[in-house]
Amino acid sequence: MEWGDLRVFLQVARGGQMASASRSLGLDHSTISRRISRLEEDMGVELFDRAGRRLSLTKEGAKLLCEAERLASIIIRDVLSLGEKGQ
């Protein structure tokens, strides 16, 4: 599992669409789709219920969202603290 795939997952989960994640991350729709598929394959579960263009999180996807949000906040906090330590 790669952090880049989790980052893509976070954007898709937040926006509910691959197209919005594509725009916000500056990646092709096919790249977004491929990364979500790879993450689902790595985890062995479906993360989204697909209904047309709208996506909704499965139970497993909701669990991953909570953990991915927690990881993202830790990364942001720790990276921001690097600047404070250098002062």
Side-chain angles (χ1 to χ4, degrees), residues 16-63:
Q17 292 182 329
M18 288 191 192
S20 62
S22 177
R23 284 189 300 276
S24 65
L25 294 171
L27 299 172
D28 291 339
H29 183 277
S30 61
T31 300
I32 299 289
S33 180
R34 189 170 50 252
R35 286 187 162 213
I36 293 296
S37 294
R38 180 171 60 192
L39 186 58
E40 288 177 324
E41 186 177 316
D42 288 349
M43 296 188 67
V45 296
E46 287 188 13
L47 300 170
F48 294 98
D49 286 320
R50 290 151 172 88
R53 292 183 180 183
R54 291 295 300 168
L55 303 172
S56 59
L57 290 169
T58 62
K59 182 179 173 183
E60 293 82 6
K63 289 179 187 177

